[in-house]
Amino acid sequence: MNTNLSSSIPSQVETDCLVVVVLDRNEKDRSERDRGEKDKPAPSIESNDAAVREAARDVIASGEVTGKAFETTLLHRPAGLRAKRLLLLGGGKVKNFSAAELRKLAGAAVRTLKSKSIRNFAFALPENGVAAKDGVRAVAEGAFVGNFDPGYYKSDRKDNDQKIDEVTIVVHGDTKPLESALQAGRVVAESQNFTRDLVNEPSNA
């Protein structure tokens, strides 16, 4: 799987699908809920790109999108975007969001999209809450682990139509300082996948 970085505005990235994280910014604590105050989700598109936010406005307003962890909403031909599709991916409560959660979301995005025979996508890195280097590494790791195909490293493996060929991580600002984080994430994930492949290999005994 090819991975690369882009500093383009998310709405201007040409891809089969643009993935954007949605977080629930309702931070009512337990005492407020115990007093009977309604714990209503407050979904927030984690991108400052006005075109992306506008494309998601109707489903946000309708209540269809809540930001619940791993909730997926796929929009086709989103207005104002060069991407063919827009995947809104729930990341849970904003106070609990971290690089570890972002890694899981990247894996979820891969599994969701490859099941629909989508071969490439762009993942818009959230612009708040997670440091860019940590975010890039997390997305790279999660994407490779999510794309894991038992038998990948075997010379006699058959091609699998359900796989992602390319992932672009869309970042804010210069990409050069983030290249090492991208490569680190890729190396760690490929090592994990190689180990998993060995574990899954049938014994000849």
Side-chain angles (χ1 to χ4, degrees), residues 2 9-10 18-19 28 66-67 85 100 109 142 145-146 156 159 164 185 188 202:
N2 294 326
I9 298 172
L18 175 67
V19 179
K28 288 188 187 305
T66 66
R85 305 167 186 83
V145 171
D156 62 345
D159 289 336
I164 299 295
V188 169

Side-chain angles (χ1 to χ4, degrees), residues 1 3 106 135-145 169 181-182 185-186 189:
M1 182 173 69
T3 53
V136 166
R137 176 168 176 166
V139 172
E141 282 190 34
F144 271 93
V145 171
I169 304 174
L182 177 67
R186 176 172 185 153

